[in-house]
Amino acid sequence: MEKSTRPVSRFPVPEIASLPEDVRSRILAVQEKSGFVPNVFLTLAHRPAEFRAFFAYHDALMEKEGGLTKAEREMIVVATSGANQCQYCVVAHGAILRIRAKDPRVADQVAVNYRKADITARQKALLDFAMKVSRQSEAISDGDFEGMRAAGFSDEDIWDAGAIAALFALSNRMANLTSMRPNDEFYLLGRVPKESAPR
Amino acid sequence: MEKSTRPVSRFPVPEIASLPEDVRSRILAVQEKSGFVPNVFLTLAHRPAEFRAFFAYHDALMEKEGGLTKAEREMIVVATSGANQCQYCVVAHGAILRIRAKDPRVADQVAVNYRKADITARQKALLDFAMKVSRQSEAISDGDFEGMRAAGFSDEDIWDAGAIAALFALSNRMANLTSMRPNDEFYLLGRVPKESAPR
Amino acid sequence: MEKSTRPVSRFPVPEIASLPEDVRSRILAVQEKSGFVPNVFLTLAHRPAEFRAFFAYHDALMEKEGGLTKAEREMIVVATSGANQCQYCVVAHGAILRIRAKDPRVADQVAVNYRKADITARQKALLDFAMKVSRQSEAISDGDFEGMRAAGFSDEDIWDAGAIAALFALSNRMANLTSMRPNDEFYLLGRVPKESAPR
Amino acid sequence: MEKSTRPVSRFPVPEIASLPEDVRSRILAVQEKSGFVPNVFLTLAHRPAEFRAFFAYHDALMEKEGGLTKAEREMIVVATSGANQCQYCVVAHGAILRIRAKDPRVADQVAVNYRKADITARQKALLDFAMKVSRQSEAISDGDFEGMRAAGFSDEDIWDAGAIAALFALSNRMANLTSMRPNDEFYLLGRVPKESAPR
Amino acid sequence: MEKSTRPVSRFPVPEIASLPEDVRSRILAVQEKSGFVPNVFLTLAHRPAEFRAFFAYHDALMEKEGGLTKAEREMIVVATSGANQCQYCVVAHGAILRIRAKDPRVADQVAVNYRKADITARQKALLDFAMKVSRQSEAISDGDFEGMRAAGFSDEDIWDAGAIAALFALSNRMANLTSMRPNDEFYLLGRVPKESAPR
Amino acid sequence: MEKSTRPVSRFPVPEIASLPEDVRSRILAVQEKSGFVPNVFLTLAHRPAEFRAFFAYHDALMEKEGGLTKAEREMIVVATSGANQCQYCVVAHGAILRIRAKDPRVADQVAVNYRKADITARQKALLDFAMKVSRQSEAISDGDFEGMRAAGFSDEDIWDAGAIAALFALSNRMANLTSMRPNDEFYLLGRVPKESAPR
């Protein structure tokens, strides 16, 4: 497979060595863990203060404990990023969703039309709510909260769902603004057993 | 990888053995070639007359000679099916596009946002036109034809592009009507060398 | 009444005599029956293979037996073609609807706003469903099927309704692509008793 | 042809004899001239003060001298009423347009898709502008005025075009609110020579 | 505060002294009462016949007795004008709403998102209905009427609500067409006790 | 003026004294400076980690040096929040915009329809771009960047504009999710000289 040659971002991408210590450490840690540096780190590193705020927000919502599983949080990211036509987020978080859900098909299904995905009724209710926050938040009503509670979600889960949709409303726009390129590695992650994936 | 258990279609799916000879032969031929029967064949076989018409139309546009490469025709299918949120068509034709284009990434890119895909300027012009036929055909104007000609397309190419978008406007609606399930096999096709794909 | 001079199609229109035998026969048969050749036949004859597939599909849905009356099938065509702003389909199938329904007013009503047309509650439920397939098929749900069944439709009727909407999603796009001109004859058909219609 | 039995309006329709003198006279005059009372007169007569204001506005725009022909003004009404899905206005003003333009086909064409109607380039520019006022007036810009001037319209013509679109934005909403029924007589007006129209 | 210098209208604004007697009187009366001449009077005075019809319509709906309070009528104007992005109507009628409702906050709330405004449930039902007439009148159904009756509105109230939305559909388009400038005076009206407002 | 009694947020609002030291300090500092605690601080304090990330992001974009004036940044917030129907953001940032721009009218104009606001051509180009990022970021193209450069903006300014639109895409959704109430104090800020504002 030929490597992508399209630029990582419309804006300058800094040398990792030139970055502030905390930004550089974060990047090296993710590289250590994943085997590559996802381009969102390189793109946002052009603005270290925004980099720090973005990943702090990300970790506060995606790494915390709570009623939503990590796979369910990624489903919110993939479904809303599909609706917002964000290539980077669908490809990168699609990979993470496949890994979190241990399911090679769910990400493609959720990205195109979550209503037809092989997910639970509870998860469809979750995505109905998150999609409304993403695409039509002005109409979120008490009825929508009651629907979520009826599907078994606590009020803290509802905040999580809405806040993840909100954070990726930001993230999708930054990726579209910068024309952020998805790393080649993401396309195959979670599709084949790790050892058989061609490197 | 666990097999999907969701029904192939909301409507009855006939036994292959019970089908009219020509329909059965077509299905057996595709099974012979691909190693499995794509679910669109089983779903539409519920109505043999419509089955025959659909595949005749399909072959007339997708198998003919002409100025559009086979990969370009599949790009039209994937881009418009993404916009129409047709899960079956994105997954199945995404696989075909990966194979035709010998590129494991292009289908995911085109399905989410063709404007950012790693394709040529000519191909972006082609997809601009096909998307307008798919989503806003009432506004197709002489100016759109001139734009296509300026990008190097003949009038016969323009017909091909528009007619493929039109045929998949039909196909997307049939897949959404029947809630057609994509075969498990499609998800990995064209992503890994054939021999390494897990069976 | 002056005759229209706008071209029949943006693409070449073949001489009937030059067409393959089966295409020519079909055209001569319709001319014999109607007294003129509807321009959709001439426009699509530019591509005989597509011509054959289109009319095979058309006949499979519009000429078959089933729970929907022929007038109800034409209502689906007229309502969805109005929403898709397809001039040829509204004018031509409006004429057929007037004849099938023996009602000179229903086509104009259905083309503009079927919710206010003088049709039955069952027919409004049918058009609600067909319009959703035409304009928003990604959201067709089990609830929509239950609604149709509650209105008295069988599952085969539901397929018919959805498939007609799907076929004319194709047809509307082909007519808008080719800028197909409605024949002058259609405008008055079904509005006045046959003998009094000016020729 | 059976007569329509659907109510003229969702609201009470007054007896003509019971109306204030000026309202009654206006109605009798139109009946004298047309041979029937268009239902918009009966529907709005439920509120005499609004009746007077509406027809005063109508006459100020539709009966005045100016650079737009009477047929062109009716084209604006028919095109915008089609886009607003107003059955009464399309059917009633379609009839008037056929008569004003002495053309039995133009109204059906303009109602469905004015971009494909057999009208002049100047008239298409006029309808582009009027449709923008009708559907997206928030974006009307100096550039739109320059486009109209380039197409040969004076500033007073531009006011006329915009104001007609604005008045029928009101009228379409009143017709949809009251579910105003088009009179049976409108459907055939302007389609056949007067003497041959069946009564 | 510097005075606005942008023109009152894209079209000529007549000298008050040059206007027909009835138009001039109306303008002088409003100036006497308000301390300034709202620009809608000057803009529409360019066309005295339309001026008379518009204000007759306005008074018939906004000054009449009825089940809707004057504040509720202004809420309809502000909410629908916000949705239609009409700067003049939001600023001018926002001021009137603040005065009528004796509430300095309600206009800003209703203009941005009436669903979150500090208004009664009855008023939210009223605005739901009026917004549907304004933005999607083609879908107004018997169910919408029943909803309004359940919220305590009479059929005459429903007419009032729908007709106000319809009149300001016209008014918003005229203001956007003419690029009507809101008078500086409106911005502060109803926000501070009259005596403390800076002049 | 009666005080608002609607809850500050749909979610629990913590006691300031109970908050982590850094969160409490930030809140007390803003209270010291403004004379009140804007409700966004109380609402987000329910989640201290998200609070920290949000205000870090906010400060990185709104408090930094750069080619956009502080008033221009607030214009972006007000215009995009109006389009997203976010009551809190329009009311609160409308106040800040009035103060930054030293103009009591600009916020109301920009919130309703920035195309008609009394701002410079450069600022309209800026808002065109920011609105596209906010509402249709999938279509941001090289042409949009060229348009911004032609209007005099550097690439760093373009990032700022896009990133502010992206951050408030998040913020608008959080405010709509939590039904965040604007503080009463915002409504009058920047409308009257500070000393004359009623407390």
Side-chain angles (χ1 to χ4, degrees):
Chain A
M1 161 165 42
E2 224 177 317
K3 299 196 89 175
S4 290
T5 55
R6 186 158 64 86
V8 164
S9 164
R10 272 184 177 125
F11 293 86
V13 168
E15 291 299 315
I16 293 178
S18 73
L19 289 168
E21 169 54 25
D22 63 320
V23 173
R24 191 171 68 238
S25 298
R26 171 92 199 220
I27 290 178
L28 294 176
V30 80
Q31 185 177 36
E32 175 74 18
K33 188 175 161 200
S34 310
F36 65 97
V37 182
N39 286 335
V40 64
F41 289 88
L42 300 178
T43 301
L44 294 186
H46 176 56
R47 293 276 185 102
E50 297 168 44
F51 177 104
R52 291 179 191 111
F54 179 81
F55 288 106
Y57 221 133
H58 176 276
D59 294 353
L61 287 167
M62 304 303 281
E63 305 292 335
K64 73 187 281 281
E65 298 300 302
L68 307 185
T69 67
K70 287 194 174 178
E72 286 168 345
R73 295 178 215 186
E74 295 295 334
M75 276 179 204
I76 294 173
V77 178
V78 172
T80 59
S81 298
N84 292 332
Q85 300 182 45
C86 178
Q87 192 182 100
Y88 183 87
C89 300
V90 169
V91 172
H93 287 270
I96 304 175
L97 172 53
R98 286 190 295 269
I99 291 169
R100 297 276 196 237
K102 298 185 203 315
D103 178 339
R105 293 181 297 256
V106 67
D108 291 351
Q109 294 173 358
V110 165
V112 179
N113 191 341
Y114 75 94
R115 301 174 203 83
K116 314 249 166 153
D118 296 322
I119 57 178
T120 64
R122 166 191 148 96
Q123 289 166 342
K124 283 188 192 170
L126 176 67
L127 294 182
D128 281 339
F129 182 82
M131 287 289 269
K132 191 165 181 181
V133 173
S134 179
R135 303 288 296 172
Q136 205 191 359
S137 75
E138 67 275 13
I140 287 283
S141 69
D142 292 346
D144 295 313
F145 275 66
E146 282 154 28
M148 283 289 279
R149 288 174 196 134
F153 294 100
S154 72
D155 277 28
E156 294 305 309
D157 297 339
I158 297 175
W159 177 297
D160 286 343
I164 292 168
L167 177 62
F168 282 85
L170 178 158
S171 179
N172 295 166
R173 282 158 182 79
M174 288 308 298
N176 278 332
L177 173 71
T178 59
S179 211
M180 207 183 281
R181 170 161 64 79
N183 302 59
D184 294 347
E185 288 84 350
F186 284 126
Y187 290 86
L188 211 52
L189 274 176
R191 293 195 192 272
V192 290
K194 249 189 160 172
E195 59 278 23
S196 83
R199 296 277 166 142
Chain B
M1 162 166 38
E2 223 176 318
K3 298 194 90 175
S4 290
T5 55
R6 186 157 65 85
V8 164
S9 164
R10 272 183 176 125
F11 292 87
V13 168
E15 292 298 317
I16 293 178
S18 72
L19 288 168
E21 170 55 24
D22 63 320
V23 173
R24 192 171 67 239
S25 299
R26 170 92 198 220
I27 290 178
L28 295 176
V30 81
Q31 186 176 35
E32 176 73 19
K33 188 176 161 200
S34 310
F36 65 98
V37 182
N39 287 334
V40 64
F41 289 88
L42 299 178
T43 300
L44 294 186
H46 176 56
R47 295 276 184 100
E50 298 168 41
F51 176 106
R52 290 179 192 111
F54 179 81
F55 288 106
Y57 221 133
H58 176 276
D59 294 352
L61 287 167
M62 304 303 281
E63 306 293 336
K64 73 187 281 280
E65 298 300 303
L68 306 185
T69 68
K70 288 196 173 175
E72 286 168 344
R73 295 178 215 186
E74 295 295 334
M75 277 180 202
I76 293 173
V77 178
V78 173
T80 60
S81 299
N84 291 332
Q85 300 183 45
C86 178
Q87 192 181 101
Y88 183 87
C89 300
V90 169
V91 172
H93 287 271
I96 304 174
L97 172 53
R98 287 190 294 269
I99 291 169
R100 297 275 196 239
K102 298 185 202 314
D103 178 340
R105 293 180 297 256
V106 66
D108 292 350
Q109 294 173 358
V110 165
V112 178
N113 191 342
Y114 74 94
R115 301 175 202 82
K116 313 248 167 154
D118 295 323
I119 56 178
T120 63
R122 167 191 147 97
Q123 289 167 342
K124 284 188 192 171
L126 176 68
L127 295 181
D128 281 340
F129 183 82
M131 288 289 270
K132 191 165 180 182
V133 172
S134 179
R135 304 287 297 172
Q136 205 191 358
S137 75
E138 68 275 12
I140 287 284
S141 69
D142 291 346
D144 295 313
F145 275 66
E146 282 154 29
M148 283 290 278
R149 288 174 197 135
F153 294 100
S154 73
D155 277 27
E156 294 306 308
D157 297 339
I158 297 175
W159 177 297
D160 286 343
I164 292 168
L167 177 63
F168 282 86
L170 178 158
S171 179
N172 295 165
R173 282 158 182 79
M174 288 308 298
N176 279 331
L177 174 72
T178 58
S179 210
M180 205 184 284
R181 170 160 65 79
N183 303 60
D184 294 348
E185 288 85 349
F186 284 125
Y187 290 86
L188 211 52
L189 274 176
R191 293 195 191 273
V192 292
K194 249 189 160 174
E195 60 279 20
S196 81
R199 297 277 163 142
Chain C
M1 160 166 41
E2 224 175 318
K3 299 194 91 176
S4 289
T5 54
R6 185 158 66 86
V8 163
S9 164
R10 273 184 177 125
F11 292 86
V13 169
E15 291 299 315
I16 293 178
S18 72
L19 289 167
E21 169 55 25
D22 63 320
V23 173
R24 192 172 65 238
S25 299
R26 170 92 198 220
I27 290 178
L28 295 176
V30 79
Q31 185 177 37
E32 175 73 20
K33 188 175 162 200
S34 310
F36 65 97
V37 182
N39 287 335
V40 65
F41 289 88
L42 300 178
T43 300
L44 294 185
H46 175 57
R47 294 277 184 101
E50 297 168 43
F51 177 105
R52 291 180 191 109
F54 179 81
F55 288 106
Y57 221 134
H58 176 276
D59 294 352
L61 287 166
M62 304 303 282
E63 306 293 334
K64 73 186 281 280
E65 297 300 301
L68 306 185
T69 67
K70 288 196 173 174
E72 286 167 345
R73 295 178 215 185
E74 295 296 334
M75 277 179 202
I76 294 173
V77 178
V78 172
T80 59
S81 299
N84 292 332
Q85 300 182 45
C86 178
Q87 193 183 100
Y88 183 87
C89 300
V90 169
V91 172
H93 287 270
I96 304 174
L97 172 53
R98 287 189 295 269
I99 291 168
R100 297 276 196 237
K102 299 185 204 315
D103 178 339
R105 293 181 297 255
V106 66
D108 291 350
Q109 294 173 357
V110 164
V112 178
N113 191 340
Y114 74 94
R115 302 175 202 82
K116 313 250 167 154
D118 296 322
I119 57 178
T120 65
R122 168 191 148 98
Q123 289 166 343
K124 283 188 191 170
L126 176 68
L127 294 182
D128 281 341
F129 182 82
M131 287 290 270
K132 191 165 180 183
V133 172
S134 179
R135 303 288 297 172
Q136 204 191 1
S137 75
E138 68 276 12
I140 287 283
S141 69
D142 292 346
D144 296 313
F145 275 65
E146 283 153 28
M148 283 289 279
R149 289 175 196 131
F153 295 99
S154 72
D155 277 26
E156 294 305 309
D157 297 340
I158 297 175
W159 177 297
D160 286 343
I164 293 168
L167 177 62
F168 281 86
L170 178 157
S171 180
N172 295 165
R173 282 159 182 78
M174 288 307 299
N176 278 332
L177 174 71
T178 58
S179 211
M180 206 183 284
R181 171 162 62 79
N183 302 60
D184 294 347
E185 288 84 351
F186 284 126
Y187 290 85
L188 210 52
L189 275 177
R191 294 194 191 273
V192 291
K194 250 188 160 173
E195 60 277 21
S196 81
R199 296 277 165 141
Chain D
M1 162 165 43
E2 223 176 318
K3 299 194 89 176
S4 290
T5 55
R6 185 156 66 85
V8 164
S9 165
R10 272 182 177 126
F11 292 87
V13 168
E15 292 298 317
I16 293 177
S18 73
L19 289 168
E21 169 55 23
D22 63 320
V23 174
R24 192 172 67 239
S25 298
R26 170 92 198 219
I27 290 178
L28 295 177
V30 81
Q31 186 176 35
E32 175 73 18
K33 187 174 162 200
S34 311
F36 65 97
V37 181
N39 286 335
V40 64
F41 289 89
L42 299 178
T43 300
L44 294 186
H46 175 56
R47 293 275 184 102
E50 297 168 43
F51 177 105
R52 289 180 192 111
F54 178 80
F55 288 107
Y57 221 133
H58 175 277
D59 294 352
L61 287 166
M62 304 303 281
E63 306 292 336
K64 73 187 280 281
E65 297 300 303
L68 307 186
T69 68
K70 288 196 174 176
E72 286 168 345
R73 294 178 214 185
E74 294 296 333
M75 277 180 202
I76 294 173
V77 178
V78 172
T80 60
S81 299
N84 292 332
Q85 299 183 44
C86 178
Q87 192 183 102
Y88 183 87
C89 300
V90 169
V91 172
H93 287 271
I96 304 174
L97 172 53
R98 287 190 295 270
I99 291 168
R100 297 275 196 239
K102 299 185 202 317
D103 178 339
R105 294 182 295 256
V106 67
D108 292 351
Q109 294 173 357
V110 165
V112 178
N113 191 341
Y114 74 93
R115 301 175 202 81
K116 312 249 167 153
D118 295 323
I119 56 178
T120 64
R122 168 191 148 97
Q123 288 167 342
K124 284 187 191 171
L126 176 67
L127 294 181
D128 282 340
F129 183 82
M131 288 290 270
K132 191 164 181 183
V133 172
S134 179
R135 304 288 296 172
Q136 204 191 359
S137 75
E138 68 275 12
I140 287 284
S141 69
D142 292 346
D144 295 313
F145 275 66
E146 282 155 28
M148 283 289 278
R149 287 174 197 133
F153 295 100
S154 73
D155 278 27
E156 293 307 308
D157 297 339
I158 298 175
W159 177 298
D160 285 343
I164 292 168
L167 177 62
F168 282 86
L170 178 159
S171 179
N172 294 166
R173 283 158 182 77
M174 288 308 298
N176 278 331
L177 173 72
T178 58
S179 211
M180 207 184 282
R181 170 160 65 78
N183 303 60
D184 294 348
E185 287 85 349
F186 284 125
Y187 291 85
L188 211 52
L189 274 176
R191 293 194 192 275
V192 291
K194 250 189 160 172
E195 60 277 23
S196 82
R199 296 279 165 136
Chain E
M1 162 165 41
E2 223 176 318
K3 299 195 91 177
S4 290
T5 55
R6 185 158 66 85
V8 164
S9 165
R10 272 183 176 126
F11 291 87
V13 168
E15 291 299 315
I16 294 178
S18 72
L19 288 167
E21 169 55 25
D22 63 320
V23 173
R24 192 172 67 237
S25 298
R26 171 92 197 220
I27 290 178
L28 294 176
V30 80
Q31 185 177 36
E32 174 74 20
K33 187 174 162 201
S34 310
F36 65 98
V37 182
N39 285 335
V40 65
F41 288 89
L42 299 179
T43 300
L44 294 186
H46 176 56
R47 292 276 184 102
E50 297 168 43
F51 177 104
R52 290 180 191 111
F54 179 81
F55 288 106
Y57 221 133
H58 176 277
D59 294 352
L61 287 167
M62 304 303 281
E63 306 292 336
K64 74 186 279 281
E65 298 301 302
L68 306 185
T69 68
K70 288 194 172 176
E72 286 168 346
R73 294 178 214 185
E74 295 296 332
M75 277 180 202
I76 294 173
V77 178
V78 172
T80 59
S81 299
N84 291 331
Q85 300 182 46
C86 178
Q87 192 183 99
Y88 183 87
C89 300
V90 169
V91 172
H93 286 270
I96 304 175
L97 172 53
R98 287 190 295 269
I99 291 168
R100 296 276 195 237
K102 298 186 202 316
D103 177 339
R105 292 180 297 255
V106 67
D108 292 350
Q109 294 173 358
V110 165
V112 178
N113 190 340
Y114 74 93
R115 301 174 202 81
K116 313 250 167 152
D118 295 323
I119 57 177
T120 64
R122 167 191 148 95
Q123 289 166 343
K124 284 187 191 172
L126 176 68
L127 294 182
D128 281 340
F129 183 82
M131 287 289 269
K132 191 165 180 183
V133 173
S134 179
R135 303 288 296 171
Q136 204 190 1
S137 75
E138 67 276 13
I140 287 283
S141 70
D142 291 346
D144 295 314
F145 275 66
E146 282 154 28
M148 283 290 279
R149 288 175 197 133
F153 295 100
S154 72
D155 277 27
E156 294 305 310
D157 297 340
I158 298 175
W159 177 298
D160 286 343
I164 292 168
L167 177 61
F168 281 86
L170 178 158
S171 179
N172 295 166
R173 282 158 182 80
M174 288 308 298
N176 279 331
L177 173 72
T178 58
S179 210
M180 207 184 281
R181 171 162 63 79
N183 302 60
D184 294 347
E185 288 84 348
F186 284 126
Y187 290 86
L188 210 53
L189 274 176
R191 294 194 190 274
V192 291
K194 250 191 159 169
E195 59 277 22
S196 81
R199 297 280 166 135
Chain F
M1 162 164 42
E2 223 175 319
K3 298 193 93 177
S4 289
T5 54
R6 185 156 67 84
V8 163
S9 164
R10 273 184 176 123
F11 293 87
V13 168
E15 291 299 315
I16 293 177
S18 72
L19 289 167
E21 170 54 24
D22 63 319
V23 173
R24 191 171 67 239
S25 298
R26 170 92 197 220
I27 290 178
L28 294 177
V30 80
Q31 185 177 36
E32 176 73 19
K33 186 174 162 201
S34 311
F36 66 96
V37 182
N39 286 335
V40 65
F41 288 89
L42 300 178
T43 299
L44 294 186
H46 176 56
R47 294 278 184 100
E50 297 168 42
F51 177 105
R52 290 179 191 111
F54 179 81
F55 288 107
Y57 221 133
H58 176 274
D59 294 354
L61 287 166
M62 305 303 281
E63 306 292 334
K64 73 187 280 280
E65 297 300 301
L68 306 186
T69 68
K70 289 196 173 175
E72 286 168 346
R73 295 177 214 186
E74 295 296 333
M75 277 179 203
I76 293 173
V77 178
V78 172
T80 60
S81 299
N84 291 332
Q85 300 182 44
C86 178
Q87 192 182 101
Y88 183 87
C89 300
V90 169
V91 172
H93 286 271
I96 304 175
L97 172 54
R98 287 190 294 270
I99 291 168
R100 297 276 196 236
K102 298 185 202 318
D103 178 340
R105 294 181 296 256
V106 66
D108 291 350
Q109 294 173 358
V110 165
V112 179
N113 191 342
Y114 73 95
R115 300 175 203 83
K116 314 250 167 151
D118 295 322
I119 56 179
T120 64
R122 168 190 148 97
Q123 289 166 342
K124 283 187 192 173
L126 175 68
L127 295 182
D128 281 340
F129 182 81
M131 288 290 270
K132 191 165 181 182
V133 172
S134 179
R135 304 287 297 171
Q136 204 191 0
S137 75
E138 68 276 12
I140 287 283
S141 69
D142 292 346
D144 296 313
F145 275 66
E146 282 154 30
M148 284 288 279
R149 288 174 197 134
F153 294 100
S154 72
D155 277 27
E156 294 306 309
D157 297 339
I158 297 176
W159 177 298
D160 286 343
I164 292 168
L167 176 63
F168 281 85
L170 178 157
S171 179
N172 295 165
R173 282 158 182 79
M174 288 308 298
N176 278 332
L177 174 71
T178 58
S179 212
M180 206 184 283
R181 171 162 63 78
N183 303 60
D184 294 348
E185 287 85 349
F186 285 125
Y187 290 85
L188 211 52
L189 275 176
R191 292 194 191 275
V192 290
K194 250 187 159 174
E195 60 277 23
S196 81
R199 297 278 166 139

